[in-house]
Amino acid sequence: MGEQPASKPKKAAKESKSANRAASAPAPAPGASATPGTSAKAPAKKAVKKTVAKKAAAKKAVPAKATAKETAAKKAPAKKAPANPAKAAKAAQTAKVAKAAKTTPARPAKPAKPESHLSMVRRARRINRELADVYPYAHPELDFRNPFELLVATVLSAQTTDLRVNQTTPALFAAYPTPEDLAVADPEAVEQLIRPTGFFRAKTKSIMGLAAALRDDFGGNVPGRLDDLVKLPGVGRKTANVVLGNAFGVPGITVDTHFGRLVRRWKWTDEEDPVKVEAVVAEIFPKSEWTMLSHRVVFHGRRICHARKPACGACPIAPLCPAYGEGETDPEKAKKLLKYEKGGFPGQRLSPPPDYPGLPAPPLGAG
Protein backbone atom coordinates (compact mmCIF):
# COMPACT_ATOMS: atom_id res chain seq x y z
CA MET A 1 0.00 0.00 0.00
CA GLY A 2 2.82 2.41 0.75
CA GLU A 3 4.40 2.04 -2.91
CA GLN A 4 1.39 3.26 -4.93
CA PRO A 5 1.90 6.99 -4.48
CA ALA A 6 5.48 6.60 -5.82
CA SER A 7 4.36 5.51 -9.38
CA LYS A 8 2.30 8.61 -10.00
CA PRO A 9 5.20 11.08 -10.09
CA LYS A 10 6.99 8.96 -12.84
CA LYS A 11 3.88 9.03 -15.05
CA ALA A 12 3.54 12.77 -14.71
CA ALA A 13 7.17 13.27 -15.71
CA LYS A 14 6.68 11.33 -19.02
CA GLU A 15 3.61 13.35 -19.94
CA SER A 16 5.52 16.57 -19.25
CA LYS A 17 8.34 15.54 -21.70
CA SER A 18 5.85 14.65 -24.49
CA ALA A 19 4.14 17.98 -24.12
CA ASN A 20 7.45 19.81 -24.39
CA ARG A 21 8.37 17.93 -27.64
CA ALA A 22 5.01 18.72 -29.17
CA ALA A 23 5.38 22.37 -28.37
CA SER A 24 8.87 22.56 -29.94
CA ALA A 25 7.83 20.84 -33.32
CA PRO A 26 7.04 23.20 -36.37
CA ALA A 27 3.43 23.75 -37.25
CA PRO A 28 2.22 21.87 -40.35
CA ALA A 29 1.58 23.85 -43.58
CA PRO A 30 -2.05 24.64 -44.36
CA GLY A 31 -3.73 21.73 -46.06
CA ALA A 32 -0.88 19.33 -45.24
CA SER A 33 -1.69 15.81 -44.12
CA ALA A 34 -1.09 14.93 -40.53
CA THR A 35 -0.10 11.44 -41.52
CA PRO A 36 3.28 10.60 -40.07
CA GLY A 37 6.17 10.20 -42.62
CA THR A 38 4.50 12.45 -45.38
CA SER A 39 6.59 15.42 -46.58
CA ALA A 40 5.10 18.93 -46.55
CA LYS A 41 6.31 19.62 -50.13
CA ALA A 42 4.30 16.80 -51.77
CA PRO A 43 1.00 18.73 -52.12
CA ALA A 44 2.80 21.63 -53.88
CA LYS A 45 4.30 19.30 -56.55
CA LYS A 46 0.92 17.79 -57.31
CA ALA A 47 -0.56 21.26 -57.84
CA VAL A 48 2.21 22.21 -60.34
CA LYS A 49 1.65 19.00 -62.32
CA LYS A 50 -2.06 19.73 -62.57
CA THR A 51 -1.35 23.28 -63.93
CA VAL A 52 1.06 21.99 -66.60
CA ALA A 53 -1.45 19.35 -67.69
CA LYS A 54 -4.17 22.00 -68.03
CA LYS A 55 -1.92 24.23 -70.24
CA ALA A 56 -0.98 21.29 -72.52
CA ALA A 57 -4.62 20.43 -72.93
CA ALA A 58 -5.37 24.05 -73.83
CA LYS A 59 -2.64 24.07 -76.51
CA LYS A 60 -3.97 20.88 -78.09
CA ALA A 61 -7.43 22.32 -78.15
CA VAL A 62 -6.39 25.33 -80.34
CA PRO A 63 -5.41 23.34 -83.51
CA ALA A 64 -8.52 21.29 -83.07
CA LYS A 65 -10.61 24.45 -83.22
CA ALA A 66 -8.65 25.73 -86.24
CA THR A 67 -9.16 22.43 -87.99
CA ALA A 68 -12.84 22.66 -87.32
CA LYS A 69 -12.91 26.15 -88.84
CA GLU A 70 -10.97 25.01 -91.93
CA THR A 71 -13.35 22.10 -92.42
CA ALA A 72 -16.30 24.44 -92.13
CA ALA A 73 -14.69 26.83 -94.62
CA LYS A 74 -14.18 24.00 -97.10
CA LYS A 75 -17.74 22.85 -96.74
CA ALA A 76 -19.04 26.40 -97.13
CA PRO A 77 -20.37 27.11 -100.66
CA ALA A 78 -18.12 29.21 -102.92
CA LYS A 79 -19.06 32.82 -103.50
CA LYS A 80 -21.07 33.34 -106.63
CA ALA A 81 -19.24 35.03 -109.56
CA PRO A 82 -20.62 38.35 -110.77
CA ALA A 83 -23.46 37.92 -113.20
CA ASN A 84 -21.70 40.11 -115.78
CA PRO A 85 -18.80 38.17 -117.48
CA ALA A 86 -17.15 41.41 -118.56
CA LYS A 87 -16.99 42.61 -114.95
CA ALA A 88 -15.63 39.25 -113.82
CA ALA A 89 -12.90 39.32 -116.48
CA LYS A 90 -12.03 42.90 -115.59
CA ALA A 91 -11.83 42.04 -111.90
CA ALA A 92 -9.60 39.03 -112.61
CA GLN A 93 -7.31 41.13 -114.78
CA THR A 94 -7.09 43.85 -112.12
CA ALA A 95 -6.18 41.27 -109.48
CA LYS A 96 -3.55 39.76 -111.77
CA VAL A 97 -1.98 43.15 -112.44
CA ALA A 98 -2.01 44.02 -108.74
CA LYS A 99 -0.33 40.72 -107.86
CA ALA A 100 2.33 41.22 -110.55
CA ALA A 101 2.97 44.74 -109.29
CA LYS A 102 3.57 43.41 -105.78
CA THR A 103 5.83 40.53 -106.79
CA THR A 104 7.71 42.12 -109.72
CA PRO A 105 8.95 45.66 -109.23
CA ALA A 106 8.97 47.72 -112.40
CA ARG A 107 12.42 48.20 -113.88
CA PRO A 108 13.29 50.60 -116.68
CA ALA A 109 14.41 48.79 -119.83
CA LYS A 110 18.08 49.20 -120.54
CA PRO A 111 18.76 50.62 -123.99
CA ALA A 112 20.64 48.23 -126.25
CA LYS A 113 24.21 49.15 -126.93
CA PRO A 114 24.50 50.45 -130.49
CA GLU A 115 26.46 48.22 -132.84
CA SER A 116 29.62 49.72 -134.24
CA HIS A 117 30.19 49.80 -137.99
CA LEU A 118 33.08 47.36 -137.67
CA SER A 119 30.94 44.89 -135.73
CA MET A 120 28.19 45.18 -138.33
CA VAL A 121 30.65 44.46 -141.15
CA ARG A 122 31.99 41.41 -139.35
CA ARG A 123 28.47 40.13 -138.68
CA ALA A 124 27.44 40.74 -142.30
CA ARG A 125 30.40 38.81 -143.65
CA ARG A 126 29.72 35.96 -141.26
CA ILE A 127 26.12 35.84 -142.49
CA ASN A 128 27.42 35.56 -146.04
CA ARG A 129 29.68 32.65 -145.06
CA GLU A 130 26.83 30.89 -143.28
CA LEU A 131 24.55 31.33 -146.29
CA ALA A 132 27.27 29.93 -148.53
CA ASP A 133 27.18 26.73 -146.47
CA VAL A 134 23.38 26.59 -146.55
CA TYR A 135 23.02 27.36 -150.28
CA PRO A 136 26.13 26.08 -152.06
CA TYR A 137 23.92 25.57 -155.12
CA ALA A 138 22.57 29.17 -155.23
CA HIS A 139 22.04 30.32 -158.81
CA PRO A 140 19.92 32.69 -160.90
CA GLU A 141 16.41 31.28 -160.88
CA LEU A 142 15.57 32.29 -164.44
CA ASP A 143 15.94 29.74 -167.23
CA PHE A 144 18.23 30.96 -170.01
CA ARG A 145 20.66 29.62 -172.59
CA ASN A 146 22.38 32.83 -173.67
CA PRO A 147 22.67 36.53 -172.67
CA PHE A 148 19.73 37.54 -174.86
CA GLU A 149 17.35 35.09 -173.21
CA LEU A 150 18.53 36.14 -169.73
CA LEU A 151 18.05 39.82 -170.61
CA VAL A 152 14.50 39.31 -171.88
CA ALA A 153 13.56 36.99 -169.00
CA THR A 154 14.83 39.52 -166.45
CA VAL A 155 12.73 42.30 -167.97
CA LEU A 156 9.67 40.01 -167.88
CA SER A 157 10.28 39.11 -164.21
CA ALA A 158 9.18 42.55 -162.99
CA GLN A 159 6.06 42.32 -160.77
CA THR A 160 5.84 38.53 -161.06
CA THR A 161 7.66 35.36 -160.02
CA ASP A 162 10.60 33.74 -161.75
CA LEU A 163 8.52 30.58 -161.93
CA ARG A 164 5.85 32.27 -164.02
CA VAL A 165 8.51 33.73 -166.31
CA ASN A 166 10.16 30.34 -166.74
CA GLN A 167 6.82 28.82 -167.65
CA THR A 168 6.26 31.56 -170.26
CA THR A 169 9.57 32.05 -172.03
CA PRO A 170 9.89 28.61 -173.72
CA ALA A 171 7.11 29.47 -176.18
CA LEU A 172 8.41 33.03 -176.62
CA PHE A 173 11.97 31.98 -177.45
CA ALA A 174 10.76 29.17 -179.67
CA ALA A 175 8.92 31.77 -181.77
CA TYR A 176 11.59 34.53 -181.57
CA PRO A 177 15.03 33.06 -180.81
CA THR A 178 17.11 36.15 -181.73
CA PRO A 179 16.89 39.93 -181.26
CA GLU A 180 16.29 40.31 -184.98
CA ASP A 181 13.29 37.96 -184.83
CA LEU A 182 11.74 39.67 -181.83
CA ALA A 183 12.31 43.17 -183.22
CA VAL A 184 10.02 42.51 -186.21
CA ALA A 185 7.40 40.41 -184.39
CA ASP A 186 3.69 41.18 -184.32
CA PRO A 187 3.09 43.02 -181.01
CA GLU A 188 -0.27 41.36 -180.47
CA ALA A 189 1.26 37.91 -180.90
CA VAL A 190 3.97 38.78 -178.40
CA GLU A 191 1.37 40.08 -175.95
CA GLN A 192 -0.50 36.81 -176.04
CA LEU A 193 2.65 34.81 -175.40
CA ILE A 194 3.76 36.84 -172.37
CA ARG A 195 0.30 37.55 -170.94
CA PRO A 196 0.82 35.20 -167.90
CA THR A 197 3.60 37.47 -166.61
CA GLY A 198 1.28 40.46 -166.16
CA PHE A 199 1.62 44.02 -167.52
CA PHE A 200 2.00 42.29 -170.88
CA ARG A 201 1.45 45.42 -173.04
CA ALA A 202 4.16 47.46 -171.37
CA LYS A 203 6.50 44.46 -171.29
CA THR A 204 5.91 43.76 -175.00
CA LYS A 205 6.93 47.31 -175.79
CA SER A 206 10.10 46.97 -173.67
CA ILE A 207 11.36 43.63 -175.03
CA MET A 208 10.63 44.52 -178.65
CA GLY A 209 12.35 47.88 -178.12
CA LEU A 210 15.48 46.37 -176.60
CA ALA A 211 15.57 43.77 -179.38
CA ALA A 212 15.53 46.53 -181.97
CA ALA A 213 18.29 48.41 -180.09
CA LEU A 214 20.46 45.30 -179.94
CA ARG A 215 19.96 44.77 -183.66
CA ASP A 216 20.64 48.39 -184.61
CA ASP A 217 23.30 49.46 -182.10
CA PHE A 218 25.15 46.32 -181.05
CA GLY A 219 24.98 44.04 -184.06
CA GLY A 220 22.40 41.77 -182.47
CA ASN A 221 24.60 41.08 -179.42
CA VAL A 222 24.02 41.92 -175.77
CA PRO A 223 26.70 44.38 -174.56
CA GLY A 224 28.83 43.46 -171.58
CA ARG A 225 29.02 46.94 -170.03
CA LEU A 226 26.73 48.45 -167.45
CA ASP A 227 26.57 51.84 -169.18
CA ASP A 228 25.41 50.23 -172.43
CA LEU A 229 22.87 47.93 -170.85
CA VAL A 230 21.04 50.63 -168.90
CA LYS A 231 20.40 52.52 -172.15
CA LEU A 232 18.22 49.71 -173.50
CA PRO A 233 14.40 50.04 -173.15
CA GLY A 234 13.10 48.49 -169.93
CA VAL A 235 16.61 47.80 -168.57
CA GLY A 236 17.59 49.30 -165.23
CA ARG A 237 20.59 48.85 -162.98
CA LYS A 238 19.18 45.73 -161.34
CA THR A 239 18.55 43.98 -164.68
CA ALA A 240 21.96 45.04 -165.95
CA ASN A 241 23.71 43.55 -162.90
CA VAL A 242 21.80 40.27 -163.32
CA VAL A 243 22.98 39.99 -166.93
CA LEU A 244 26.54 41.07 -166.19
CA GLY A 245 26.99 38.76 -163.22
CA ASN A 246 25.38 35.64 -164.70
CA ALA A 247 25.99 35.91 -168.44
CA PHE A 248 29.38 37.68 -168.50
CA GLY A 249 30.93 36.89 -165.12
CA VAL A 250 31.19 40.57 -164.19
CA PRO A 251 30.54 41.01 -160.43
CA GLY A 252 27.37 42.88 -159.59
CA ILE A 253 24.90 43.28 -156.71
CA THR A 254 21.29 42.65 -157.61
CA VAL A 255 19.02 44.68 -155.35
CA ASP A 256 15.55 43.22 -155.86
CA THR A 257 12.71 43.28 -153.31
CA HIS A 258 14.08 40.26 -151.40
CA PHE A 259 17.62 41.60 -151.24
CA GLY A 260 16.59 45.08 -150.09
CA ARG A 261 14.20 43.68 -147.48
CA LEU A 262 16.74 41.33 -145.92
CA VAL A 263 19.67 43.72 -145.73
CA ARG A 264 17.44 46.20 -143.91
CA ARG A 265 16.17 43.44 -141.60
CA TRP A 266 19.78 42.50 -140.85
CA LYS A 267 20.66 46.16 -140.17
CA TRP A 268 23.27 46.39 -142.88
CA THR A 269 21.63 49.61 -144.02
CA ASP A 270 18.48 51.66 -143.56
CA GLU A 271 18.45 52.90 -147.15
CA GLU A 272 15.34 52.29 -149.27
CA ASP A 273 16.64 53.39 -152.66
CA PRO A 274 18.09 50.36 -154.54
CA VAL A 275 21.05 52.34 -155.89
CA LYS A 276 22.00 53.51 -152.38
CA VAL A 277 21.52 50.01 -150.98
CA GLU A 278 23.85 48.66 -153.66
CA ALA A 279 26.49 51.28 -152.81
CA VAL A 280 26.37 50.51 -149.08
CA VAL A 281 26.56 46.73 -149.50
CA ALA A 282 29.37 47.08 -152.04
CA GLU A 283 31.44 48.73 -149.30
CA ILE A 284 30.93 45.79 -146.95
CA PHE A 285 31.96 42.92 -149.25
CA PRO A 286 34.81 42.39 -151.67
CA LYS A 287 33.86 42.64 -155.33
CA SER A 288 34.45 38.94 -155.91
CA GLU A 289 31.51 38.14 -153.60
CA TRP A 290 28.92 40.46 -155.12
CA THR A 291 27.19 38.10 -157.55
CA MET A 292 27.00 35.06 -155.29
CA LEU A 293 26.05 37.19 -152.31
CA SER A 294 23.04 38.38 -154.31
CA HIS A 295 21.96 34.82 -155.08
CA ARG A 296 22.37 33.65 -151.48
CA VAL A 297 20.40 36.53 -150.00
CA VAL A 298 17.59 36.14 -152.55
CA PHE A 299 17.48 32.37 -151.99
CA HIS A 300 17.20 32.90 -148.25
CA GLY A 301 14.48 35.51 -148.65
CA ARG A 302 12.39 33.23 -150.84
CA ARG A 303 12.80 30.08 -148.78
CA ILE A 304 13.07 31.04 -145.11
CA CYS A 305 13.15 34.77 -144.33
CA HIS A 306 9.76 35.65 -145.80
CA ALA A 307 8.38 39.16 -145.79
CA ARG A 308 5.27 38.62 -143.67
CA LYS A 309 6.05 35.55 -141.60
CA PRO A 310 9.71 34.57 -141.52
CA ALA A 311 10.54 31.08 -140.29
CA CYS A 312 12.80 32.25 -137.45
CA GLY A 313 12.70 28.87 -135.71
CA ALA A 314 14.18 27.15 -138.79
CA CYS A 315 16.67 29.88 -139.74
CA PRO A 316 20.33 28.83 -139.82
CA ILE A 317 21.55 32.37 -139.18
CA ALA A 318 19.12 33.20 -136.36
CA PRO A 319 21.94 33.93 -133.83
CA LEU A 320 23.27 36.61 -136.18
CA CYS A 321 19.92 38.23 -136.95
CA PRO A 322 18.89 41.34 -134.98
CA ALA A 323 15.29 40.82 -136.15
CA TYR A 324 14.98 37.31 -134.71
CA GLY A 325 11.52 36.84 -133.22
CA GLU A 326 9.60 38.80 -135.84
CA GLY A 327 8.43 35.49 -137.25
CA GLU A 328 7.57 32.00 -136.00
CA THR A 329 10.17 30.84 -133.45
CA ASP A 330 8.77 27.39 -132.71
CA PRO A 331 10.95 24.95 -134.71
CA GLU A 332 8.12 22.61 -135.69
CA LYS A 333 5.79 25.40 -136.76
CA ALA A 334 8.63 27.19 -138.57
CA LYS A 335 9.40 24.10 -140.66
CA LYS A 336 5.92 24.26 -142.11
CA LEU A 337 6.68 27.73 -143.48
CA LEU A 338 9.70 26.67 -145.56
CA LYS A 339 9.37 26.95 -149.33
CA TYR A 340 10.86 25.37 -152.45
CA GLU A 341 13.49 22.71 -151.82
CA LYS A 342 13.73 23.62 -148.11
CA GLY A 343 10.09 22.69 -147.71
CA GLY A 344 10.23 19.73 -150.09
CA PHE A 345 8.53 21.57 -152.98
CA PRO A 346 9.63 22.15 -156.60
CA GLY A 347 11.89 25.07 -157.36
CA GLN A 348 11.28 27.89 -159.82
CA ARG A 349 13.32 26.65 -162.77
CA LEU A 350 12.04 24.16 -165.29
CA SER A 351 15.68 23.40 -166.12
CA PRO A 352 17.65 23.83 -162.87
CA PRO A 353 21.41 23.35 -162.72
CA PRO A 354 22.73 19.82 -162.09
CA ASP A 355 23.68 20.50 -158.46
CA TYR A 356 20.23 21.79 -157.48
CA PRO A 357 18.91 19.48 -154.72
CA GLY A 358 15.22 20.22 -155.31
CA LEU A 359 12.65 19.26 -157.91
CA PRO A 360 12.25 21.03 -161.28
CA ALA A 361 9.29 23.36 -161.62
CA PRO A 362 6.32 22.11 -163.68
CA PRO A 363 5.62 23.65 -167.10
CA LEU A 364 2.78 26.10 -167.64
CA GLY A 365 -0.63 24.47 -167.27
CA ALA A 366 0.75 21.32 -165.64
CA GLY A 367 -1.17 21.95 -162.45
Side-chain angles (χ1 to χ4, degrees), residues 18-39:
S18 298
N20 289 338
R21 280 198 297 269
S24 63
S33 173
T35 305
T38 303
S39 173

Side-chain angles (χ1 to χ4, degrees), residues 16 46 48 57 80 123 127 152 183 197 199 209 228 244 255 279 281 284-285 287 301-302 322 327 345 355:
S16 177
K46 287 183 179 179
V48 171
K80 291 183 180 180
R123 181 171 57 82
I127 287 176
V152 172
T197 66
F199 303 96
D228 294 332
L244 290 174
V255 184
V281 176
I284 299 175
F285 298 93
K287 196 172 183 178
R302 285 174 172 167
F345 304 109
D355 62 342

Side-chain angles (χ1 to χ4, degrees), residues 312-346:
C312 294
C315 181
I317 60 167
L320 302 172
C321 181
Y324 175 79
E326 288 185 7
E328 181 58 65
T329 57
D330 182 80
E332 293 302 319
K333 293 180 180 178
K335 285 181 182 179
K336 297 178 182 179
L337 301 175
L338 302 180
K339 296 182 178 179
Y340 303 111
E341 76 279 359
K342 291 298 180 182
F345 304 109

Side-chain angles (χ1 to χ4, degrees), residues 101-191:
K102 289 180 180 179
T103 56
T104 308
R107 294 181 182 178
K110 294 182 179 180
K113 186 178 180 181
E115 184 180 36
S116 67
H117 179 73
L118 179 60
S119 296
M120 182 276 291
V121 170
R122 289 174 175 171
R123 181 171 57 82
R125 292 182 176 182
R126 187 177 172 188
I127 287 176
N128 182 42
R129 292 194 297 271
E130 295 287 340
L131 293 180
D133 292 336
V134 177
Y135 308 106
Y137 50 87
H139 58 272
E141 294 192 88
L142 289 169
D143 285 330
F144 68 97
R145 295 170 296 185
N146 54 59
F148 171 65
E149 290 187 355
L150 178 58
L151 178 61
V152 172
T154 306
V155 172
L156 294 177
S157 68
Q159 305 298 318
T160 190
T161 64
D162 287 356
L163 171 59
R164 185 49 57 91
V165 174
N166 291 335
Q167 292 173 329
T168 303
T169 50
L172 177 68
F173 295 141
Y176 313 108
T178 66
E180 291 82 1
D181 296 325
L182 184 57
V184 297
D186 178 10
E188 291 185 359
V190 176
E191 287 177 2

Side-chain angles (χ1 to χ4, degrees), residues 5 14 34 43 49 53 62 82 123 140 158 200 203 218 248 268 315 322 327 344 347 363:
K14 287 180 181 180
K49 286 183 179 179
V62 172
R123 181 171 57 82
F200 55 91
K203 290 179 179 180
F218 299 100
F248 294 99
W268 293 1
C315 181

Side-chain angles (χ1 to χ4, degrees), residues 36-323:
T38 303
S39 173
K41 293 181 181 179
K45 287 183 179 180
K46 287 183 179 179
V48 171
K49 286 183 179 179
K50 286 182 179 180
T51 305
V52 172
K54 286 182 180 180
K55 288 184 179 179
K59 286 182 180 180
K60 289 181 180 179
V62 172
K65 290 181 181 178
T67 305
K69 288 182 180 180
E70 289 175 2
T71 305
K74 288 180 181 179
K75 291 182 179 179
K79 292 182 180 180
K80 291 183 180 180
N84 191 337
K87 288 184 179 180
K90 187 175 181 180
Q93 181 65 22
T94 304
K96 187 176 181 181
V97 171
K99 184 178 179 181
K102 289 180 180 179
T103 56
T104 308
R107 294 181 182 178
K110 294 182 179 180
K113 186 178 180 181
E115 184 180 36
S116 67
H117 179 73
L118 179 60
S119 296
M120 182 276 291
V121 170
R122 289 174 175 171
R123 181 171 57 82
R125 292 182 176 182
R126 187 177 172 188
I127 287 176
N128 182 42
R129 292 194 297 271
E130 295 287 340
L131 293 180
D133 292 336
V134 177
Y135 308 106
Y137 50 87
H139 58 272
E141 294 192 88
L142 289 169
D143 285 330
F144 68 97
R145 295 170 296 185
N146 54 59
F148 171 65
E149 290 187 355
L150 178 58
L151 178 61
V152 172
T154 306
V155 172
L156 294 177
S157 68
Q159 305 298 318
T160 190
T161 64
D162 287 356
L163 171 59
R164 185 49 57 91
V165 174
N166 291 335
Q167 292 173 329
T168 303
T169 50
L172 177 68
F173 295 141
Y176 313 108
T178 66
E180 291 82 1
D181 296 325
L182 184 57
V184 297
D186 178 10
E188 291 185 359
V190 176
E191 287 177 2
Q192 291 303 313
L193 287 172
I194 68 170
R195 181 183 286 269
T197 66
F199 303 96
F200 55 91
R201 291 190 178 89
K203 290 179 179 180
T204 295
K205 186 176 180 180
S206 294
I207 63 175
M208 290 187 67
L210 72 83
L214 292 177
R215 178 196 61 191
D216 299 338
D217 302 332
F218 299 100
N221 297 314
V222 176
R225 293 188 340 121
L226 179 67
D227 293 341
D228 294 332
L229 285 168
V230 296
K231 293 177 182 178
L232 299 173
V235 178
R237 192 175 182 91
K238 183 199 84 170
T239 299
N241 280 328
V242 170
V243 174
L244 290 174
N246 297 287
F248 294 99
V250 177
I253 296 175
T254 304
V255 184
D256 69 351
T257 55
H258 299 288
F259 190 95
R261 174 171 55 81
L262 263 63
V263 298
R264 284 187 289 272
R265 184 172 278 174
W266 294 336
K267 305 299 182 185
W268 293 1
T269 180
D270 293 328
E271 297 290 349
E272 296 281 347
D273 181 75
V275 176
K276 292 181 179 179
V277 171
E278 179 186 343
V280 171
V281 176
E283 292 290 330
I284 299 175
F285 298 93
K287 196 172 183 178
S288 59
E289 289 289 319
W290 289 356
T291 300
M292 289 307 300
L293 170 71
S294 301
H295 292 324
R296 293 164 190 155
V297 173
V298 172
F299 258 57
H300 192 63
R302 285 174 172 167
R303 286 151 178 78
I304 297 177
C305 196
H306 312 133
R308 294 186 180 179
K309 199 170 184 181
C312 294
C315 181
I317 60 167
L320 302 172
C321 181

